[in-house]
Amino acid sequence: MRFWIAVIPLVLFAALAGIFLTNIGKDQSVIPSALIGKPAPEFSLPPLPGRDKGISRADLTQGHVSVVNVFASWCVPCRAEHPMIKRLAAEAGVPVYGLNYKEKDPQDGVNWLDELGDPYTAVGMDISGRTGIDFGVYGVPETFIIDGDGKIAYKQVGPIDAETLENVLLPKIRELKKG
Amino acid sequence: MIAETGHFALILLLMLGCCQAVIFSPLGVLFRRPSLSATSSPSLQMAGTAGTITADKTGWWRSFSQAAFRPFSSDNIAPAPTGPIWPLPLLICLLAIGAQGSLIYSFVISDFTLPLVTHYSHSSTPVFYRIAASISPDRGATLLWITLTSLATILVLLQNAIFKKSENAHAIVGVMGLIIALLAASVLIDGDPFARIGDPPLDGQGFDPQSQDILDIFYSPILHAGLAGLSIIFAATVAALPRARLNRAWAEMLRPWALLSWTLLGAAMMISAYRAYAEQSWGNWWYWDASENAVLLPWLLATAFLHCLAVLEKTEALKPWTALLALSTFGAGWFGTFLARSDLLGPLPESLRASGDNAVLLIGFCFLFAGAYYLFSRAAGHLRENADFTLVSRESGMFINSVLLAVAAAIVMIGTVYPLFLRWLGGTIITVGPPFFVQALMPVTLAMLLLMGLSPTLRWRVDGAASVGRRMKLALILSVIVTLFVWMRHIDAPPLPLLGIGLAAWVVTAALGDLWEKLWRHRDHGESKYRNIKMLGPRYIGMSLAHIGMALLIAGGSASSLWEEQAVLSARTGQSIEIGPYNLQYEGVSLLPGENFATRKAKFIIYRNAQPVSELYPEVRYYPIRGVETKESAIWHGRDGDLHVSIGDRAEDSGRIVDVRFLPMMPWVWAGMLLILLGGVINMLTRMILLFKKNGVSAP
Amino acid sequence: MMRFFRPNRPIWLAMLAVVLTLTFYARPAFAVNPDEMLSDPVLEGRAREISQELRCLVCQNQSIDDSDADLAHDLRVLVRERLLAGDSNQQAIDYIVARYGDYVLLNPPLKPDTYILWASPFILLILAALAVVGFYRRKKRDGRIAPANLTDQERKRLDEILSPSGD
C-alpha cells in the first residue's frame, strides 16, 4: 500500500511531465479548421478593379481539385509566401484562386499583383472580410485545398514555405487528384 | 566586458550552487553512513538491516540505495554535518547580484550586442524602463528569481543565527543550492541572456508598451520575491522530511516565510488585476489566462498552507497534509511560472516572445518535485500525529478550508491545462475561458466563504454544535437580512452575485460578532475592555483583516458585476455624459508628446450634483518604436463606485469614441485586496517583533 | 543569430507572430464601437451577451466584446447582423462556431471531449470529502478524540486555558 502511495503519483507525474516536454516548442497557436470535410461556403466575390473575373463557389465545384489562397497587400508574410504560390500554380496543375482579404483600397491588390506577378487563375475581392469569416480565416495568409466536390480538404494557416509546399501541399493535391 | 563578467558570474554561480547542494545535501542524511551509536538501535536490528551499517567498504551508491530503500526510521540517520555554513551562500548571493547588476548595466547603456537588450529595449526607452526591461521579461526575470532566492538563503541563515537554531539549517541551505543551480542552468541553457551577436542592430525593438507603467515594474520583483519565499518553505520541508521532524519548531520557523510569500503573491495578483483593469480592458480585472493562473495557483495553496501551519504550530496536528501543501505550493509556483512562459497554452504575449522553450525549467521542476515527493511518501507514515480535535473545532474549520482551497487550486490547474491535453490526445481544440472557472469554482468558493465566517469563531480542539449555533445566530440573521434587502431592491438580480453578497455579509458579521464576543462578553479575562483588546493578539487582528478583506472583495466583485452601467458613444467637446450618479463633461482631446510615445489625452470633468468633483485624463498612446497603440483608461475611485473612462478613435461622425463605465462598489474590491495584504503584513511584522522579543525562546 | 525564436520552429511561424501582432494589435481600433451598435437596446443587449461568450481568436482569453482586434470587430458586426436577421442567441453562436469551431467558445461546450473537464470539480469535491471523512473516521478509530461532552464548568475552565491567546 505504502509502495503504491509513493509510486502512483510519481508515475502520473512523470507521464504529465512527458506530455509537457514533448509538446514544448510545438506551436499551439494554429487552430485546425472546423470546416475540414465540409463543403466550401457559398460565396461570390467581385473581381479586382479593371479585371473581368471574380470567384464564386461555382468555381470550386467544377469536378477538379482547386486551391484558394487568402492574401492581402498589407500582410507581410504574404509577400514572403508569394513565390511559393507561383510554384504551386505552376507545379500542382490545379487552378489557384486568390481571395484578396480586406484591402483598404481595391487598387492595392491590383498594384500588389502587378508588382509581384499574378499566379492566380482568378482573384475575388473580399472588402468586408465576410467571405473570409465564412472560410474561418483568422490570420492571413491562409490556403485551402478544395476537392472536386467543393469540400474543404485541407487548410494551411500561415505562409507556405518550400518545405510545406513540397512535403504537404503538393502531395495532398496529388492524392486528391487521384481520387 | 561587463556582460562577460555577468556571464562568468552566472556560470560560477551554477557550479557553486551544485557544490552547495552536494555539500549540504539533505540526501546526506540518507546515504551518510549511520554513526556507531546507531548500530545499537533496536529498531535497526529489528528491521534486519544492521548488516548495511557495517558495510563500510561498499561504494557510496550501494550505501545510498540501501539507505533509500531501507525501512524508514528516524534513528538510523547520522547527525547533520557541522562546519561553516555561511561562505558558500554568501558567495552565491554576491555572484547573483553581480550577474544581475551586469545585465541591468547592459540594459542601461543599451548594449545592443546582447539580443536580449535589442529585443526589449531601445535607445529612446527611459532609463527607468530599461531597468524594468532587464528584470521583467523571461530571462532577466529568471535571473531576478535566482538573485532573490539567494537573498532568501541569506535571510534564512540570519533567521537561524538570530532566533532559534534549526537542526536542519545545513540541509535547507543544500536544497536552496539545488534550486539555485537548477534556475541558473535554466537561464544558461534555455536562453542565455548574456549571449552576444557579431553584427548588432543599430537600435533595439523597444520596451513592451503594454508594460510601460510604474505598477508593472514592481510586478516582477514582487512575484519573484514571493517565489523565493516559497522556495524556503520547500527547502525547509525537504530538509525536515528525512527525519520526519515536521514539528512545532519547523512550523515556527516557516511561519514568517509563509506569511511573506503569501503576502507577496497576493500583492502580485493585485497588481496584475489592477493593471488589467486600467489597461487591457473595460472594467474586467481578471481574465483567467495562464499568467494570472500561474500566480493564483500558488497563492491558493499558500493560503491553505498558512492555515494548516497555524494548526500545526498550535497542536502538532495535520503533519502529512501540511508537508504535502508546503511541497505543492512551491511546485505550483514553479510550474505556473513555467506554464506562463512556455507556449504550451497558446501564443505568448509580446513580453515573452524572446524566451527559449524553458525545457530545463520544466526538467528541473520535475526533478525537484519528484524527489521531494519521494521523500514525503517515505516519511508520511512516520509523521506522528497529535490530531486531538473534534469535528466541530477551529482546527477542523481550518483543515477543511485548506482542503477546499486545494480543490480550488486543482480546478484552476485542470482548467488551465485541459486544452493542452485535449489537443495532445487529438480531441477538438477548445478554449477554457472565464465562464468555466467561475462556474466550476462557485461551489467551492461558497463553501469556503461559509467556513471562513464560521471557523474563526470556533474554539480550539473541542466545540459544541449547539453553542456554535447560539453564537452565530446573530450573524446568520444579519446576513440573511442583508441578502433579502439587496434582493428586494433588485428583484431580478441573478442568484450568484446575490449569494456572493450574502456570504460576504456573513463573513463580516461573523468576524465582527466574534470580535464583540471576545472584547465585551469575556469580562473574566480582565477588568477593562482595553485589556481584552491587548489579549486579542496581533495575529487575530491580521487574520480578521484578511477575512474581512476577502469578504469585501467578493461583495464588491459581485455588486459591480450586478449593477455595472456602461455607455459607449461618440462624444463632442463640451458634451455631457450621464452615468450612475455622475455627470461627465468631455473637454476634448489634445495631442501631447511623451517620453518615448505620443499621446492623445482627453479631459473629462466629473460632476456630482452639479458640483465638479475631479478630473480624468484617459489617453491613447502611440509608441512609434513598436508601432503599437495602448489605451490608458482613467479611473476615479468614488465613494460609491469606480468611474472608468477610456477613449478610442475618432468616430465616423467626427466625434470621439468614449467608453464610460460606472462600477458600483468596485472600490470595495481594491480595498478588500489591500486589507488582505495589510492583514498579511501586520501578522508578519508582529510575528517578527514577537520573535525578537523572545529571541530564541520557543513558543509555549 | 540568437534564439529569438526557437530554432526548431519554422521561420514562418515567427513571421506569423509578427504579422498577427502588426495586423491585429497595431491598428487603432476600439472594442465595441458606437458605429456598430444596434439602435434597438434589447437586440444590442443580446449582442453584447453573445459577444462576451465568444473568444477573440488572436487574443489571450479575451472575448470579442473586450477586444480591439480587427477580426473581433468583424465578428461583432456579424453577430449583430445575425440578430437583425432574426436569429436566436444560440443560432447566432452556432453560426460562428460552424466557421471557427469550439475554440471560439469561452465556455467550453459539454460533449464527450469535455466530460472530464466539467466533471472535475465534482470529482475533486467528492474525493476531498471522502478524504476528510476518512481522516475523521481514522482518528475516531484510533481513539485520539477528545471528550466532547464537557460540563459547563469544565468548558469554562477550558476557555480560560485556551482562548486568551486569541487566534
Side-chain angles (χ1 to χ4, degrees):
Chain A
M1 175 68 184
R2 177 151 304 143
F3 176 75
W4 292 113
I5 286 178
V7 165
I8 291 175
L10 280 180
V11 167
L12 275 177
F13 183 75
L16 291 190
I19 293 177
F20 283 118
L21 269 176
T22 49
N23 275 277
I24 272 183
K26 285 190 192 161
D27 197 281
Q28 310 282 341
S29 62
V30 173
I31 310 148
S33 174
L35 294 169
I36 302 290
K38 302 238 175 75
E42 196 58 57
F43 72 101
S44 175
L45 292 173
L48 291 168
R51 301 192 178 200
D52 50 355
K53 201 172 171 312
I55 52 172
S56 67
R57 187 175 141 72
D59 292 317
L60 308 179
T61 49
Q62 302 292 327
H64 53 73
V65 180
S66 51
V67 173
V68 175
N69 174 245
V70 186
F71 73 97
S73 67
W74 45 263
C75 141
V76 186
C78 297
R79 194 169 275 269
E81 179 195 57
H82 201 71
M84 292 303 138
I85 301 295
K86 281 183 180 161
R87 273 188 63 190
L88 179 68
E91 292 170 27
V94 298
V96 177
Y97 297 102
L99 197 158
N100 190 6
Y101 185 66
K102 295 195 81 169
E103 294 293 353
K104 280 225 174 70
D105 181 349
Q107 196 59 40
D108 288 348
V110 179
N111 295 346
W112 199 71
L113 289 179
D114 285 347
E115 185 198 335
L116 296 173
D118 182 359
Y120 298 110
T121 311
V123 178
M125 217 172 39
D126 184 19
I127 296 283
S128 68
R130 188 54 49 85
T131 305
I133 289 181
D134 285 342
F135 269 95
V137 170
Y138 67 94
V140 270
E142 289 187 9
T143 308
F144 296 85
I145 300 176
I146 319 269
D147 70 9
D149 311 328
K151 283 196 192 121
I152 296 177
Y154 184 77
K155 175 185 176 184
Q156 158 77 21
V157 181
I160 301 168
D161 53 15
E163 198 196 320
T164 338
L165 179 72
E166 284 154 18
N167 299 341
V168 184
L169 295 181
L170 289 176
K172 189 88 199 169
I173 291 171
R174 255 178 254 130
E175 181 192 319
L176 283 171
K177 270 163 100 177
K178 266 186 234 153
Chain B
M1 191 49 213
I2 294 290
E4 274 68 39
T5 317
H7 202 185
F8 180 67
L10 195 56
I11 294 169
L12 208 58
L13 182 92
L14 171 62
M15 289 171 359
L16 286 181
C18 291
C19 292
Q20 185 175 312
V22 171
I23 294 173
F24 300 114
S25 170
L27 290 179
V29 296
L30 284 183
F31 66 83
R32 197 170 293 115
R33 276 162 216 140
S35 59
L36 271 175
S37 61
T39 4
S40 57
S41 155
S43 66
L44 267 183
Q45 276 152 10
M46 269 162 60
T49 51
T52 63
I53 288 145
T54 49
D56 270 347
K57 291 186 185 71
T58 52
W60 66 270
W61 168 250
R62 165 73 70 79
S63 76
F64 167 67
S65 53
Q66 278 165 346
F69 299 105
R70 184 160 54 205
F72 183 92
S73 158
S74 52
D75 304 329
N76 60 0
I77 283 166
T82 49
I85 197 171
W86 281 90
L88 259 182
L90 266 181
L91 200 56
I92 285 177
C93 186
L94 287 177
L95 285 172
I97 291 171
Q100 187 81 60
S102 70
L103 190 63
I104 291 175
Y105 178 81
S106 303
F107 268 87
V108 169
I109 63 159
S110 289
D111 184 352
F112 293 123
T113 54
L114 299 186
L116 194 74
V117 182
T118 316
H119 206 87
Y120 291 122
S121 187
H122 184 268
S123 51
S124 74
T125 306
V127 172
F128 187 63
Y129 292 111
R130 287 186 206 167
I131 298 174
S134 76
I135 55 167
S136 338
D138 51 52
R139 301 292 111 212
T142 319
L143 193 54
L144 182 70
W145 191 357
I146 297 179
T147 311
L148 290 168
T149 308
S150 64
L151 274 173
T153 318
I154 300 298
L155 278 178
V156 88
L157 281 177
L158 272 176
Q159 185 191 17
N160 187 53
I162 298 173
F163 307 124
K164 201 168 170 244
K165 293 263 183 295
S166 166
E167 54 181 356
N168 298 320
H170 284 78
I172 292 174
V173 171
V175 180
M176 293 303 281
L178 189 60
I179 292 172
I180 289 171
L182 286 171
L183 286 176
S186 160
V187 173
L188 283 169
I189 300 169
D190 285 336
D192 191 341
F194 295 108
R196 281 193 199 266
I197 46 170
D199 49 342
L202 285 175
D203 217 325
Q205 298 167 19
F207 188 49
D208 176 23
Q210 293 280 345
S211 326
Q212 186 160 334
D213 182 271
I214 299 286
L215 264 183
D216 252 16
I217 306 306
F218 291 109
Y219 178 75
S220 178
I222 288 179
L223 171 64
H224 290 99
L227 291 175
L230 292 184
S231 61
I232 293 284
I233 295 172
F234 177 82
T237 310
V238 169
L241 276 176
R243 300 147 175 264
R245 296 265 174 84
L246 295 149
N247 46 22
R248 194 166 276 157
W250 171 80
E252 214 166 74
M253 183 230 139
L254 275 189
R255 180 88 173 197
W257 289 102
L259 280 165
L260 178 76
S261 19
W262 178 79
T263 310
L264 287 169
L265 289 175
M269 281 205 296
M270 184 178 174
I271 290 176
S272 81
Y274 197 81
R275 283 293 295 155
Y277 182 66
E279 173 104 19
Q280 285 176 1
S281 71
W282 316 100
N284 252 346
W285 44 281
W286 198 256
Y287 276 102
W288 302 98
D289 71 14
S291 62
E292 287 169 332
N293 290 350
V295 193
L296 180 64
L297 265 177
W299 184 82
L300 285 171
L301 290 173
T303 315
F305 174 65
L306 205 55
H307 286 85
C308 287
L309 202 63
V311 171
L312 199 151
E313 200 180 350
K314 196 99 179 170
T315 60
E316 296 231 336
L318 305 178
K319 279 178 184 176
W321 176 233
T322 313
L324 192 60
L325 278 177
L327 300 181
S328 33
T329 305
F330 174 74
W334 187 306
F335 186 65
T337 312
F338 160 74
L339 266 191
R341 284 185 199 169
S342 76
D343 58 358
L344 284 173
L345 301 172
L348 283 169
E350 186 52 36
S351 60
L352 294 172
R353 284 272 157 80
S355 60
D357 51 17
N358 286 308
V360 177
L361 200 64
L362 178 61
I363 294 168
F365 163 74
C366 297
F367 181 58
L368 272 182
F369 199 69
Y373 184 79
Y374 168 71
L375 285 180
F376 167 75
S377 62
R378 201 167 165 272
H382 302 270
L383 293 166
R384 232 166 316 171
E385 277 273 34
N386 183 23
D388 199 9
F389 55 86
T390 55
L391 183 60
V392 184
S393 67
R394 177 86 69 88
E395 285 97 326
S396 287
M398 288 160 103
F399 167 56
I400 294 170
N401 229 0
S402 75
V403 173
L404 288 173
L405 280 162
V407 168
I411 292 173
V412 172
M413 180 79 181
I414 289 175
T416 312
V417 298
Y418 197 79
L420 172 69
F421 282 117
L422 211 51
R423 193 188 268 262
W424 180 73
L425 289 170
T428 46
I429 309 294
I430 59 158
T431 296
V432 179
F436 169 80
F437 289 104
V438 171
Q439 293 168 60
L441 289 175
M442 182 185 61
V444 189
T445 315
L446 295 182
M448 248 165 4
L449 282 172
L450 207 62
L451 266 178
M452 212 168 90
L454 187 65
S455 78
T457 66
L458 296 175
R459 296 196 168 92
W460 290 100
R461 288 185 75 240
V462 189
D463 208 337
S467 92
V468 173
R470 219 175 314 121
R471 268 177 284 150
M472 300 307 288
K473 204 162 50 194
L474 193 63
L476 189 65
I477 292 169
L478 277 177
S479 53
V480 168
I481 288 174
V482 169
T483 319
L484 284 178
F485 178 72
V486 174
W487 185 59
M488 301 253 278
R489 290 194 54 184
H490 302 270
I491 205 85
D492 53 348
L496 186 57
L498 265 185
L499 216 53
I501 291 173
L503 281 169
W506 155 255
V507 172
V508 173
T509 47
L512 292 180
D514 187 50
L515 192 67
W516 180 75
E517 174 118 355
K518 286 205 164 65
L519 284 186
W520 282 279
R521 288 278 289 276
H522 267 284
R523 273 307 171 80
D524 34 13
H525 294 317
E527 301 75 36
S528 76
K529 59 188 174 200
Y530 300 110
R531 179 152 155 64
N532 280 337
I533 286 179
K534 266 192 184 161
M535 270 187 325
L536 284 180
R539 284 169 66 175
Y540 179 83
I541 293 168
M543 183 263 301
S544 305
L545 280 181
H547 283 184
I548 290 174
M550 196 68 215
L552 291 186
L553 177 75
I554 298 277
S558 309
S560 66
S561 73
L562 254 187
W563 299 307
E564 179 186 341
E565 285 177 42
Q566 183 206 10
V568 184
L569 65 152
S570 149
R572 289 165 190 287
T573 308
Q575 188 173 336
S576 170
I577 305 158
E578 223 175 294
I579 184 109
Y582 298 97
N583 234 323
L584 275 171
Q585 190 171 324
Y586 174 57
E587 294 282 306
V589 167
S590 40
L591 191 65
L592 298 167
E595 281 168 307
N596 57 341
F597 54 89
T599 175
R600 272 171 290 167
K601 196 180 240 181
K603 181 180 176 187
F604 290 85
I605 305 176
I606 309 172
Y607 289 94
R608 188 184 177 120
N609 306 326
Q611 294 293 315
V613 204
S614 181
E615 285 167 9
L616 281 178
Y617 300 94
E619 292 177 50
V620 176
R621 289 183 183 171
Y622 177 69
Y623 290 84
I625 307 301
R626 289 212 175 187
V628 171
E629 281 203 346
T630 67
K631 291 188 308 279
E632 314 283 328
S633 310
I635 298 155
W636 189 66
H637 304 289
R639 65 167 182 272
D640 43 11
D642 273 8
L643 212 48
H644 187 287
V645 184
S646 9
I647 58 164
D649 302 335
R650 203 157 268 290
E652 275 165 18
D653 62 351
S654 80
R656 173 70 58 182
I657 299 175
V658 171
D659 179 304
V660 184
R661 289 175 193 227
F662 175 66
L663 297 137
M665 285 171 70
M666 200 57 196
W668 289 37
V669 171
W670 310 118
M673 288 188 185
L674 282 175
L675 273 186
I676 295 174
L677 297 189
L678 190 68
V681 170
I682 286 184
N683 209 331
M684 188 165 47
L685 285 183
T686 48
R687 188 78 187 166
M688 295 307 279
I689 292 167
L690 223 65
L691 274 174
F692 266 110
K693 269 189 181 163
K694 281 185 188 164
N695 202 6
V697 183
S698 93
Chain C
M1 219 5 229
M2 254 305 292
R3 306 169 59 179
F4 277 165
F5 298 97
R6 199 152 300 116
N8 59 354
R9 182 198 250 193
I11 192 70
W12 63 261
L13 272 176
M15 293 174 69
L16 176 67
V18 172
V19 85
L20 287 181
T21 321
L22 286 178
T23 52
F24 293 113
Y25 295 127
R27 282 201 182 171
F30 200 68
V32 187
N33 193 304
D35 305 334
E36 65 190 49
M37 281 165 61
L38 301 173
S39 49
D40 179 348
V42 180
L43 274 189
E44 176 62 23
R46 277 173 58 200
R48 296 299 297 277
E49 222 172 273
I50 294 170
S51 315
Q52 277 163 12
E53 288 185 22
L54 295 176
R55 173 178 187 160
C56 155
L57 281 103
V58 289
C59 325
Q60 298 222 332
N61 263 16
Q62 259 188 343
S63 71
I64 58 171
D65 194 52
D66 279 336
S67 170
D68 296 341
D70 220 25
L71 183 61
H73 166 84
D74 290 353
L75 290 175
R76 283 196 302 269
V77 173
L78 183 62
V79 164
R80 284 168 172 80
E81 277 182 28
R82 298 309 309 171
L83 290 184
L84 281 179
D87 273 12
S88 71
N89 286 14
Q90 195 53 48
Q91 279 168 329
I93 290 176
D94 289 345
Y95 185 88
I96 308 274
V97 171
R99 279 151 186 79
Y100 286 99
D102 289 336
Y103 184 76
V104 288
L105 294 172
L106 280 172
N107 198 13
L110 188 62
K111 49 192 244 176
D113 275 357
T114 57
Y115 282 163
I116 299 176
L117 177 70
W118 281 107
S120 63
F122 303 102
I123 296 173
L124 285 169
L125 268 179
I126 290 168
L127 283 181
L130 286 178
V132 168
V133 169
F135 172 80
Y136 282 103
R137 294 189 103 173
R138 215 166 43 242
K139 204 146 65 65
K140 203 167 186 179
R141 191 193 60 208
D142 295 355
R144 279 182 303 191
I145 212 108
N149 37 358
L150 302 176
T151 64
D152 278 356
Q153 207 91 52
E154 284 166 329
R155 180 158 288 141
K156 207 171 173 190
R157 174 94 186 93
L158 205 62
D159 274 354
E160 270 178 30
I161 299 165
L162 293 172
S163 68
S165 58
D167 204 73

